[in-house]
Amino acid sequence: MTAAHGSTSSAEPEFAAPVQADAETTGTESGDTGAAFRFQVQPEFHPVPLGIGVDEETFDEQMRVFARGFWGDREDLEPIRRFTAAMYGVNSQQLAAEGTVYQALGIFPIGGTADGSQPPERVSRCTLTIGVRDLDNPDPYLAAAGISETLDKGGATGEVQLVTLPAGPAVVHVAGSRAVWELPNGEQERFLVRVELWMPFPEEDRLLLLCLSTADVQDLFHYQAVLADMADTITFGDAEEDLAPTGGVGAQAHPFG
């Protein structure tokens, strides 16, 4: 499946993610405290706190602020704000323990016009997680080829494709899943799709994993383009230099296909 690639926004927030903070969470014994990566996300993404590097009281306050931003300040919504903060808080702590260093909710208007003269036809939602995992990585190209082979031959569903991005080789994996709930009035099912980017660090025994998932399966091509734009902005290392002179997003045409 070939991604429809194109810039989804003109101004993207930039994030610097220090890998060592994640390494301490996952128990990696690397002594390299300088390893880091940087990336940009579209402004339609709203970060969810992970609690990395803060105490419990600070994390609880971060989740309260997140829930207030999600539901607003209406007094009658306080119970659901508390439930949202508790639910996302538990999920965030689990994700952080598994190596996630960034989590966000994406809320994208679909249709309409850029100048606002025509309102969006609907709103599409997704979840983005970015994490770091340990990987025996003698060479990024060999590692990417091994990941591709493992996903393709190891029973993983969906489509696997080797790609070359400005920051190096990577693997794109597009897959779907079906969730079923047993309810008193019968089964309820929901389909999900996810687009993953597996990218070995250039000089580290680590792997960067971006995962964008959505229940709005009809928007798969849209989200492939969103992740493709984001992938173009990934850089590794501590340097504060700007992204590619071409602007980062969209620097390479059709990197996913």
Side-chain angles (χ1 to χ4, degrees):
M1 186 175 298
T2 301
H5 176 64
S7 179
T8 58
S9 183
S10 59
E12 293 80 10
E14 181 177 337
F15 295 88
V19 176
Q20 184 61 24
D22 170 69
E24 292 173 354
T25 302
T26 58
T28 302
E29 296 181 353
S30 171
D32 182 2
T33 59
F37 66 92
R38 303 176 69 86
F39 60 96
Q40 289 180 320
V41 298
Q42 294 82 352
E44 289 84 359
F45 283 104
H46 306 276
V48 181
L50 287 168
I52 298 175
V54 300
D55 57 36
E56 185 175 350
E57 183 177 348
T58 301
F59 179 54
D60 288 344
E61 177 59 25
Q62 288 176 345
M63 294 312 306
R64 284 192 290 269
V65 171
F66 167 76
R68 193 178 306 120
F70 193 96
W71 291 106
D73 293 324
R74 278 175 44 187
E75 186 176 348
D76 60 316
L77 294 179
E78 179 59 20
I80 197 168
R81 282 196 295 267
R82 291 180 181 176
F83 174 77
T84 299
M87 180 182 67
Y88 275 95
V90 171
N91 185 61
S92 292
Q93 290 175 323
Q94 181 177 349
L95 287 173
E98 294 171 351
T100 298
V101 296
Y102 180 83
Q103 177 189 195
L105 301 179
I107 303 176
F108 287 83
I110 304 296
T113 56
D115 62 5
S117 59
Q118 293 293 330
E121 300 170 5
R122 56 189 174 84
V123 173
S124 183
R125 293 173 173 81
C126 69
T127 300
L128 171 68
T129 59
I130 300 179
V132 178
R133 299 182 179 181
D134 292 334
L135 174 72
D136 186 9
N137 178 19
D139 175 88
Y141 288 91
L142 291 176
I147 293 167
S148 177
E149 183 75 10
T150 299
L151 290 172
D152 193 35
K153 306 297 184 184
T157 59
E159 181 176 328
V160 180
Q161 183 178 0
L162 270 168
V163 298
T164 300
L165 299 172
V171 178
V172 177
H173 179 216
V174 182
S177 60
R178 173 176 174 262
V180 179
W181 291 270
E182 294 287 347
L183 301 176
N185 57 346
E187 288 185 351
Q188 179 180 342
E189 67 177 5
R190 195 172 192 184
F191 293 92
L192 306 168
V193 292
R194 68 183 185 278
V195 187
E196 300 171 346
L197 180 74
W198 302 65
M199 190 170 194
F201 275 65
E203 298 177 351
E204 299 285 334
D205 287 334
R206 296 188 176 114
L207 170 74
L208 184 63
L209 175 59
L210 286 71
C211 181
L212 196 158
S213 61
T214 181
D216 295 324
V217 296
Q218 71 272 28
D219 297 324
L220 173 60
F221 288 122
H222 170 78
Y223 286 120
Q224 284 182 273
V226 167
L227 194 61
D229 281 351
M230 195 184 309
D232 273 345
T233 72
I234 296 172
T235 59
F236 292 95
D238 297 320
E240 294 292 336
E241 69 270 13
D242 293 335
L243 296 171
T246 54
V249 173
Q252 178 186 359
H254 303 289
F256 281 16

